[in-house]
Amino acid sequence: MAKQEASEHYQALVDMGSNGIRFSISDLSPQTARVMPTIYQDRLGLSLYDAQYESGKKVPIAQPVIDQVLTALVRFKRICEDYDVSQDNVRIVATEATRNAINSLAFRQQIEKATTWKVEMLSKEDEGRIGAMGVASSFGRIKGLVMDLGGGSIQMTWMIAENGEVQTSPKGAVSFPYGAAAMMRRLDEAGVDGHELLRREMSTNFEKALQDLEVPETLSKTADEEGGFTLYLSGGGFRGWGYILMSLHAINPYPIPIINGFRVPRSSFLPNVKEYSDPETTFRISSRRASQVPAITFLIKALAESIHSIAYIHFAQGGIREGLLFSSLSADIRSQHPLVTATQVHAPPSTSSLSQLLKGSIPPPHQPGSANDPPATLTSSHFLTSTVQLLYAHASYSKDIAAAAALRSTTTGILGNAHGLSHIDRALLALVMCERWGGELSSTDEQYLAKMQELVGPQASWWAKYIGRAAGGITTLLPAGVMRRGEDDQVTVAASWCTVEKKEAVEAINLDIRNRIREIDSAIEDWRHEMEKVGKKKNWIGGRGGWGVKVITNGTE
């Protein structure tokens, strides 16, 4: 029965792109629909774009290629039946390569005859709009420019996505014939002597597109305040480039092997626009993608020359597939923060009461701000709620591995497949959860911890440690995650800033913990002691000369 109920929400999708054909089944059950869990996925590495060119001349898609596609589709239909996916919940969509094929109609008719599925053709405008929605699904909020790189074309638009609403240019997306596979062909046809002419053509077109898209004043103002636009990149070619940048990152090895949410500043992005010597040895770079690196490099050079006001580049996993799924969700579901949705299935019974205790353990920010204040991400409601929801997820693990499993939970653990999380959210939550379980790690995991701390910086790392220690104390008081009725006011936590006089005045956190439940008195004392320890210099990030804040409890040291 449970499987039948779940399968009602299964959505099967075939995305027939220019560089490959993706097959997937996603579970859009209401509780977790925002992160669009994938229960099955596969890919046929066949380029429908390349299949239409022989010796530089466009030709119909050959029957052996069509037969290969039909075989894969019939197999996928069988898989959908095994998962009990309703035929009404199966879609097959095709983009530029199929749309522009000489024998497009005959190709689609053969597909329908073999599978009974009718191919939906996406126009250039639809392709741009849906691709943009895929990018919107990949982050909690978006304000910036969006580019989606396919095999035959690249789409460009602007986007503001927050609170479930997605705004893009009223003109839709501008499409250019500069896809990864198309660029390989254009460069080959142009020859070395023609590369400069092609580069100027591309730069001019990109500049004109930015003007034609009518970027709103609010977005331009944000770009002025932040030193430039944020650029969101999607599509296999761009993701491949992102993995190359990840392999060249100053933090080496980079600790989060997930392309979605990876971010680099312009200063890191542009100097690495060069001929990459050995792309095939890079994680997640296929031999085909490696062959496209020169073309993508050329594209990025032209892009960099035409759009000067870029501050940060974010890489997104979302594309046509994710855009189609995200578009089908209600605004209420789209408005959910993906981190909250991803952790909700692990939530304890008294999430609200526990959240109040955890929130109370964090001192309010100074007015005006201070260098000691915790980063805003750590104190946001979505982050604290997600932290509480995950507090007991590793309760069945032994003490030997609980901290290590929690540390890796956001990358290769229980949240590894959660769609839409930033790398900062993944790193901070991992650090908090590790400390919640005591923070005791093997030497191998300590190296991984150090890389995560390097990613977020010493200040955020110490605050993650502090919040994790506070969360661990709360779970000691309430090991079942249950605050009994009428006891909400029996345990109170309030943090504030104070000054401690020793050799010199030192700012400290005063954590005031009050308890009127006699049975947990000893646990309260242990908690106070643990919180004081996290503020001692030997436990700061980097040791005595590192970063941290002194902690006292109930006004005394």
Side-chain angles (χ1 to χ4, degrees):
M1 179 64 71
K3 181 181 178 182
Q4 290 179 344
E5 291 175 356
S7 66
E8 292 177 7
H9 301 286
Y10 289 175
Q11 297 285 332
L13 183 63
V14 181
D15 173 13
M16 296 178 57
S18 298
N19 261 335
I21 301 176
R22 299 170 68 194
F23 308 88
S24 66
I25 301 174
S26 302
D27 182 0
L28 297 190
S29 297
Q31 186 180 19
T32 56
R34 171 58 184 87
V35 292
M36 305 182 300
T38 303
I39 60 173
Y40 173 83
Q41 58 184 324
D42 197 8
R43 182 178 184 274
L44 177 62
L46 183 153
S47 173
L48 291 175
Y49 183 91
D50 288 350
Q52 297 179 56
Y53 287 92
E54 289 182 3
S55 303
K57 180 181 178 182
K58 188 164 185 176
V59 297
I61 301 174
Q63 190 59 45
V65 174
I66 294 176
D67 290 342
Q68 192 177 350
V69 174
L70 297 180
T71 298
L73 286 170
V74 170
R75 177 177 180 270
F76 182 59
K77 183 173 184 178
R78 177 184 175 92
I79 292 168
C80 289
E81 292 168 353
D82 290 343
Y83 274 99
D84 198 25
V85 180
S86 168
Q87 286 298 298
D88 293 335
N89 290 348
V90 179
R91 295 180 70 181
I92 176 168
V93 298
T95 55
E96 183 178 24
T98 303
R99 185 173 65 238
N100 294 337
I102 293 173
N103 56 340
S104 175
L105 178 60
F107 178 33
R108 288 180 280 131
Q109 287 174 337
Q110 287 196 54
I111 291 174
E112 186 172 1
K113 182 178 180 181
T115 64
T116 71
W117 296 337
K118 189 175 182 62
V119 179
E120 300 177 41
M121 296 295 297
L122 299 182
S123 66
K124 286 195 299 183
E125 294 74 20
D126 287 340
E127 194 173 339
R129 177 182 56 82
I130 293 170
M133 289 295 285
V135 175
S137 77
S138 303
F139 301 91
R141 62 188 295 271
I142 283 180
K143 293 184 76 173
L145 305 178
V146 174
M147 299 191 79
D148 185 8
L149 177 64
S153 62
I154 181 171
Q155 282 76 38
M156 177 181 177
T157 189
W158 58 262
M159 178 183 291
I160 299 175
E162 51 190 350
N163 300 321
E165 300 297 331
V166 180
Q167 301 176 56
T168 59
S169 171
K171 296 189 174 181
V174 179
S175 181
F176 309 98
Y178 304 142
M183 282 302 300
M184 290 179 67
R185 184 174 60 82
R186 289 286 300 274
L187 288 171
D188 184 57
E189 291 174 351
V192 176
D193 293 339
H195 285 187
E196 178 60 22
L197 185 62
L198 176 59
R199 182 195 59 75
R200 288 202 299 267
E201 171 200 314
M202 295 170 68
S203 295
T204 299
N205 286 339
F206 287 144
E207 288 176 6
K208 185 176 183 301
L210 192 57
Q211 297 173 356
D212 292 344
L213 286 171
E214 299 178 358
V215 176
E217 185 177 342
T218 54
L219 195 55
S220 296
K221 183 179 179 181
T222 299
D224 290 339
E225 294 170 350
E226 298 179 355
F229 289 105
T230 298
L231 177 62
Y232 298 86
L233 300 180
S234 183
F238 279 145
R239 286 193 291 270
W241 188 256
Y243 278 115
I244 289 175
L245 295 182
M246 194 181 287
S247 72
L248 298 171
H249 202 278
I251 302 174
N252 190 14
Y254 189 82
I256 302 178
I258 300 168
I259 196 61
N260 193 82
F262 178 56
R263 183 183 87 156
V264 295
R266 180 186 178 94
S267 59
S268 296
F269 183 67
L270 298 181
N272 288 310
V273 177
K274 61 183 181 180
E275 294 297 330
Y276 189 59
S277 60
D278 196 13
E280 287 192 55
T281 64
T282 302
F283 175 68
R284 295 292 292 146
I285 301 293
S286 65
S287 57
R288 172 172 173 75
R289 192 64 70 194
S291 70
Q292 294 176 343
V293 165
I296 295 169
T297 301
F298 191 91
L299 169 65
I300 291 172
K301 285 180 179 179
L303 179 63
E305 289 177 3
S306 57
I307 307 177
H308 303 285
S309 54
I310 297 173
Y312 286 95
I313 295 90
H314 292 247
F315 292 88
Q317 179 63 44
I320 294 295
R321 169 186 170 271
E322 291 78 10
L324 287 166
L325 294 173
F326 195 60
S327 299
S328 72
L329 304 178
S330 68
D332 285 343
I333 290 179
R334 292 201 304 263
S335 69
Q336 297 171 4
H337 195 284
L339 190 61
V340 175
T341 301
T343 55
Q344 189 175 359
V345 294
H346 305 286
S350 300
T351 293
S352 178
S353 297
L354 272 63
S355 294
Q356 287 303 310
L357 289 176
L358 185 59
K359 184 177 180 181
S361 71
I362 305 170
H366 294 77
Q367 296 297 332
S370 162
N372 283 341
D373 286 340
T377 298
L378 275 169
T379 59
S380 64
S381 60
H382 83 261
F383 188 87
L384 293 179
T385 298
S386 301
T387 296
V388 169
Q389 290 182 161
L390 204 61
L391 285 181
Y392 301 87
H394 297 90
S396 64
Y397 289 60
S398 71
K399 291 183 178 180
D400 297 343
I401 61 171
L407 177 63
R408 297 180 185 269
S409 63
T410 62
T411 50
T412 55
I414 55 178
L415 296 183
N417 67 336
H419 180 65
L421 309 188
S422 72
H423 281 204
I424 293 300
D425 276 348
R426 288 185 188 273
L428 289 174
L429 188 58
L431 293 173
V432 170
M433 286 297 114
C434 177
E435 190 63 29
R436 174 265 180 267
W437 288 102
E440 188 174 356
L441 301 169
S442 68
S443 57
T444 300
D445 291 314
E446 282 180 347
Q447 294 173 25
Y448 182 76
L449 173 72
K451 296 300 180 184
M452 283 293 216
Q453 291 176 336
E454 191 177 353
L455 178 59
V456 303
Q459 181 176 357
S461 295
W462 185 86
W463 277 107
K465 190 174 185 178
Y466 173 89
I467 293 172
R469 190 73 62 94
I474 292 170
T475 61
T476 300
L477 303 183
L478 304 168
V482 175
M483 177 72 79
R484 295 188 181 186
R485 182 176 299 177
E487 291 186 349
D488 279 13
D489 61 348
Q490 302 299 295
V491 180
T492 60
V493 182
S496 60
W497 294 101
C498 65
T499 300
V500 175
E501 298 285 349
K502 276 197 168 183
K503 294 180 181 178
E504 58 182 358
V506 176
E507 186 172 54
I509 299 168
N510 176 35
L511 188 61
D512 192 75
I513 305 173
R514 304 292 173 176
N515 170 52
R516 288 187 284 177
I517 304 174
R518 187 179 62 181
E519 293 88 345
I520 63 174
D521 276 345
S522 61
I524 290 286
E525 288 304 313
D526 290 343
W527 187 18
R528 288 174 180 153
H529 179 61
E530 287 299 316
M531 294 309 297
E532 290 171 357
K533 282 168 60 177
V534 79
K536 294 188 178 298
K537 288 187 176 182
K538 66 179 182 180
N539 294 321
W540 287 7
I541 304 301
R544 294 183 180 277
W547 204 100
V549 180
K550 186 174 181 59
V551 179
I552 65 173
T553 58
N554 292 34
T556 61
E557 296 186 60

